[in-house]
Amino acid sequence: MAQKRILRSASKLKSAPTPPPAEVSTNVPSSPEPRNPHSLPATVRDASPETPSSSPSKKRKLQTATVNTNTRPSDNVSFNRPAGPQRTNAPLATPRRSRVVTYNQDMLDGSPSKTPVPPPTTTTSQLLEEACAHLIRVDPRLQPLIEKHHCRLFSPEGLAEVVEPFQSLCSSIMAQQVSGAAASSIKAKFVGLFREGAQDSGQDQSFFPSPAQVASCQVSFLRRAGLSERKAEYIKGLAQKFEDGELTATILIKASDEEIMEKLTAVRGLGLWSVQMFACFALKRTDIFSTGTEGTHPRPRYSSD
């Protein structure tokens, strides 16, 4: 009986169909996967392993960075924004700790005929490169000099630095007719006059008094920083212009080069050269050249005869 039972089982095994080979799921990762993949950022979770350079998160890291320039805003500023040679290419801070740029997304999405400024012609990542190429085309002798001395001021990193117009113009007035060391000392004392409470508010490192604070002070109080009476009057008058809204970050963003010169030279204490330096080095306008500077004039050569 036992032999008949064994033979019957063997015949059943022979007649049973052979199962197909097991399929390997292509969704199984080659390395252990987190238990909760949804806890990862979407840009990481959805990134293609075959093209890691196309990850949006990596692109964002290349184009933005936290700017730390002793200014009040601390948000990220793009390294690749629309720009133009005759426009303000620096992000400008306002006394209310907001930030304005010449070309925002709403403006770019709107009708070109309704924008308050001409459309952009380049980007902050290409502005310096195009300017250097233009100079070399005009005068090839400049090429070795340009290649030797990199201009960080107008590089993508430099153009991402946030500028406070009021602070920059105050510093310009303080630096007139004095050495660099004396100007730094005066500025430190000037800030010290208003610094009380700044450390408690978390602004100690980047603190500079607002236009409202300066405009409300007497000239005699401002002179404690080592300012002459005339310079103290200039700075108080400048603060009043900002406080009254005659000068704002938005105005400096929208104005043309000619309008910048006209508006700022109307302020006591700001001459044409000071305004040109502010437009170039603070506002980052590239089409500014101060012909009034002595260094740009050829010096007379005297013959030994």
Side-chain angles (χ1 to χ4, degrees), residues 93-107:
T94 70
R96 295 181 179 180
R97 303 182 67 182
S98 62
R99 176 176 58 84
V100 293
V101 293
T102 300
Y103 301 104
N104 56 41
Q105 194 59 46
D106 292 339
M107 185 185 302

Side-chain angles (χ1 to χ4, degrees), residues 41-55:
T43 52
V44 177
R45 191 171 65 245
D46 301 334
S48 171
E50 297 179 354
T51 56
S53 60
S54 63
S55 171

Side-chain angles (χ1 to χ4, degrees), residues 254-275:
K254 295 180 179 179
S256 64
D257 290 341
E258 293 75 17
E259 290 169 337
I260 290 287
M261 302 303 152
E262 181 181 351
K263 288 180 180 296
L264 293 183
T265 53
V267 180
R268 290 183 63 209
L270 293 177
L272 180 60
W273 185 84
S274 295
V275 175

